[in-house]
Amino acid sequence: MCTPADPGSGQRSEETEKLIKKSHEAKACSYSPYSKFPVGAALLTEDGKIFTGCNIENSSLTVGICAERVAIHKAVSEGCTKFKSIAVASDKKENFITPCGACRQVMREFGTKWEVHMTKPDMSHKTMTVEELLPLSFGPEDLEI
């Protein structure tokens, strides 16, 4: 679902809090009958649209997909490829939820400078850039096409 962000909110913290809230809401749609580990994500595009995603498991375990990639794929399928930030949510209380390696590489495809907000159920979060999460990464410019 693509939802416009608040136009001209002007305050980064309000924008981030809204994104975090949407990631926790997206978690409710998770299809995770095998791991019992629901994850939600909310992706903010540079033009202010928000795409949400949740993890979707499958009995053939390797064909499941993470929430972050669902949100990114939804955005790309709607023509959006410039991202400002993504928030990721789970029920993990002790540590912030972090994207897996595959999700980090998919994020990297669309730049290194955008932010990843890793959260806990109490809405606290830690923010890092894609570059910080995947240093010395391989990206489109490395293909020299």
Side-chain angles (χ1 to χ4, degrees):
M1 168 166 76
C2 176
T3 315
D6 290 336
S9 69
Q11 291 193 16
R12 182 100 181 145
S13 62
E14 287 179 24
E15 182 178 77
T16 299
E17 293 307 315
K18 179 178 180 178
L19 200 62
I20 289 169
K21 184 175 187 286
K22 288 203 169 287
S23 73
H24 282 271
E25 290 169 359
K27 181 178 62 173
C29 296
S30 169
Y31 179 74
S32 49
Y34 308 106
S35 71
K36 309 282 192 255
F37 191 76
V39 179
L43 176 70
L44 178 64
T45 64
E46 284 188 359
D47 63 354
K49 295 176 184 163
I50 296 175
F51 291 87
T52 58
C54 62
N55 58 324
I56 304 168
E57 296 180 349
N58 188 283
S59 57
S60 177
L61 298 178
T62 60
V63 298
I65 187 167
C66 300
E68 300 94 310
R69 285 182 280 153
V70 169
I72 292 168
H73 293 170
K74 284 170 68 175
V76 171
S77 74
E78 296 293 322
C80 298
T81 57
K82 295 181 190 243
F83 307 131
K84 191 171 184 180
S85 59
I86 190 169
V88 186
S90 76
D91 292 331
K92 255 177 100 165
K93 294 178 182 159
E94 298 79 32
N95 299 306
F96 296 103
I97 181 70
T98 62
C100 73
C103 288
R104 292 175 194 209
Q105 185 62 46
V106 170
M107 290 175 188
R108 168 60 181 94
E109 180 71 14
F110 301 99
T112 60
K113 304 299 182 196
W114 53 293
E115 295 180 330
V116 180
H117 307 293
M118 298 161 287
T119 75
K120 291 183 182 179
D122 66 2
M123 304 294 182
S124 62
H125 66 281
K126 176 177 181 159
T127 300
M128 298 177 76
T129 64
V130 172
E131 185 172 36
E132 290 170 323
L133 286 172
L134 192 64
L136 302 172
S137 63
F138 181 85
E141 63 279 358
D142 294 305
L143 295 176
E144 298 182 28
I145 295 175

